[in-house]
Amino acid sequence: MYPPKNVEFMKNMQKAHKDDDSCCLGIESSADDFGIGIARFNGEILANKYDSYIPSEGGIHPREAARHHSEVADKVLREALNTAGVKPNELSLIAFSQGPGLGPSLRTGATVARALASYLSIPLVGVNHSVAHIEIGKLKTGVVDPVTLYASGGNTLVTAFESGRYRVFGETLDIALGNCLDVFARAAGLKHQKGLPLGAAVELLAAKGKNLVSLPYVVKGMDLSLSGLLTSATAQLNEGKVCLEDLCYSLQEHAFSMVTEVTERALAHTEKKEVLLTGGVAANKRLQSMLNFIAQDHEAKFNVVPLEFATDNGAMIAWTGVLAYQHGLVTPMDESYVKLRWRVDKVDVPWIQ
Ligand code: AMP
Ligand code: MG
């Protein structure tokens, strides 16, 4: 049974509650990235290492991603511990990404997390991946109560804290923003050059685009839909009448305007004074400038998560594990199953007043 109620476990638990310099190791494995981060309980990030699965062709194959994660887990774990200068027996807590995400990928990280927690006799905390993207953004930028646009390869949502949870003010009804860019990039034959994500390749070409082509713009209430936009942009690509730079430019302008519109409406509704952009697509300068523009219009401060912590990473899981644990949350072993569709608004966040 877990947690093991032995003396060592109880001692570790008491120690972890007291010490600011206790360490949490966090494991992220929800999709294509396998990451391990180490955070002190005072918020210092000691290590943030990852290895990404890049498919030889097409999108993420869940079983291949899981195979990748199990092959690199040992290497990434050693790198993180070495960088942090922490020995395994100095860890006080293990956190892992429990969902949402791809089943085989999530299960691989959860298995590593369970093994470490059991072997070291320390508590285990399952963390919601979307909450973790918000919390690392808050930690690294200093924002307190933002309207957040979380845009990544698998998720696109606008959220803000209200009554104990991050509430969803708007979200994609179909594909995620990063996925839209990635699928278009693959259709255009773009490759991961020098380790750059496909979204970054689209961004580089978009910067050279001059003519805006009309594409579907679909905002329904507070939600948005990107699949029609992707289909139309891909059809125009195949027709070959519009150059790739103009198509990348037009795709970005339409997609980013949609998420910015929804974020602005959430800002107007909540009257919050901070906007946070997080997730892998946060790296995009054009998206940053659009959000900055609407934030200024509403006298709110715009913040973007630093690049190192934008894409999926273990540090965000470690830090959110600390927040949860310090507020009495642990995940018993028999409740540590992964939750593929674990929505952000189903998670209590007792660390926020
Ligand atoms: P994540 O799912 O958080 O790991 O983020 C990965 C997603 O971010 C992928 O869809 C990438 O193509 C996308 N991405 C990364 N850099 C950029 C960029 N500069 N512009 C647009 N999208 C990007
Ligand atoms: Mg990723």
Side-chain angles (χ1 to χ4, degrees):
M1 270 307 279
Y2 185 92
K5 296 282 186 287
N6 60 27
V7 175
E8 195 188 352
F9 179 85
M10 295 314 283
K11 266 200 276 175
N12 285 339
M13 204 145 168
Q14 283 161 2
K15 176 172 172 291
H17 267 301
K18 280 192 215 127
D19 284 356
D20 246 17
D21 58 353
S22 298
C23 288
C24 173
L25 181 144
I27 302 176
E28 160 56 34
S29 73
S30 63
D32 54 339
D33 305 301
F34 183 85
I36 295 196
I38 298 177
R40 279 203 201 284
F41 278 33
N42 64 9
E44 192 184 346
I45 303 296
L46 302 180
N48 189 27
K49 295 287 169 187
Y50 64 87
D51 193 302
S52 302
Y53 152 76
I54 299 179
S56 48
E57 63 178 40
I60 304 174
H61 189 306
R63 247 180 308 132
E64 290 303 315
R67 191 212 303 260
H68 162 269
H69 296 350
S70 61
E71 281 170 6
V72 302
D74 171 59
K75 180 198 79 170
V76 180
L77 177 60
R78 282 173 204 280
E79 282 174 3
L81 289 167
N82 285 341
T83 303
V86 169
K87 297 193 182 67
N89 64 8
E90 291 169 341
L91 295 168
S92 301
L93 178 67
I94 303 292
F96 71 104
S97 187
Q98 197 170 7
L102 305 172
S105 296
L106 284 168
R107 274 180 218 111
T108 309
T111 304
V112 178
R114 283 186 210 108
L116 283 171
S118 304
Y119 180 72
L120 297 170
S121 264
I122 54 178
L124 180 69
V125 184
V127 164
N128 179 284
H129 176 87
S130 310
V131 169
H133 271 288
I134 303 167
E135 293 304 341
I136 197 70
K138 286 166 61 183
L139 176 74
K140 286 290 162 187
T141 63
V143 302
V144 179
D145 185 23
V147 167
T148 301
L149 170 60
Y150 162 38
S152 70
N155 297 277
T156 299
L157 52 91
V158 175
T159 174
F161 179 81
E162 181 58 56
S163 308
R165 292 186 179 177
Y166 288 113
R167 308 289 167 175
V168 175
F169 283 82
E171 61 191 318
T172 179
L173 294 168
D174 41 47
I175 55 174
L177 184 55
N179 187 237
C180 176
L181 299 173
D182 293 348
V183 173
F184 179 80
R186 277 195 292 271
L190 303 179
K191 301 261 182 274
H192 290 266
Q193 280 165 9
K194 297 183 194 146
L196 270 188
L198 291 175
V202 172
E203 181 178 19
L204 286 174
L205 286 166
K208 296 183 191 146
K210 292 193 175 60
N211 304 306
L212 189 69
V213 189
S214 178
L215 294 169
Y217 182 101
V218 186
V219 175
K220 296 183 178 183
M222 286 294 281
D223 295 328
L224 54 109
S225 159
L226 294 161
S227 61
L229 169 65
L230 172 63
T231 306
S232 177
T234 310
Q236 298 212 31
L237 175 76
N238 294 336
E239 258 178 39
K241 290 185 188 154
V242 182
C243 72
L244 184 55
E245 287 80 1
D246 282 349
L247 270 179
C248 288
Y249 169 61
S250 306
L251 178 66
Q252 277 199 172
E253 291 302 300
H254 283 77
F256 294 171
S257 300
M258 284 187 231
V259 292
T260 302
E261 180 186 329
V262 173
T263 308
E264 181 174 18
R265 291 218 227 136
L267 196 57
H269 177 76
T270 60
E271 296 185 343
K272 300 220 185 237
K273 289 292 155 223
E274 295 164 321
V275 176
L276 173 67
L277 173 60
T278 193
V281 190
N284 192 289
K285 294 276 184 288
R286 179 62 182 140
L287 179 58
Q288 291 174 16
S289 79
M290 282 194 192
L291 288 167
N292 191 23
F293 185 85
I294 56 115
Q296 281 185 11
D297 234 22
H298 291 263
E299 288 165 11
K301 191 167 176 294
F302 172 67
N303 298 267
V304 59
V305 70
L307 192 57
E308 182 193 350
F309 302 99
T311 202
D312 296 340
N313 65 88
M316 68 181 193
I317 303 297
W319 172 235
T320 311
V322 171
L323 293 172
Y325 183 68
Q326 284 179 325
H327 287 79
L329 302 177
V330 289
T331 305
M333 199 64 92
D334 54 4
E335 288 172 25
S336 66
Y337 46 84
V338 299
K339 304 174 186 179
L340 276 52
R341 296 182 194 283
W342 195 16
R343 284 177 62 83
V344 70
D345 53 5
K346 296 284 178 243
V347 186
D348 290 329
V349 286
W351 52 89
I352 304 177
Q353 297 306 317

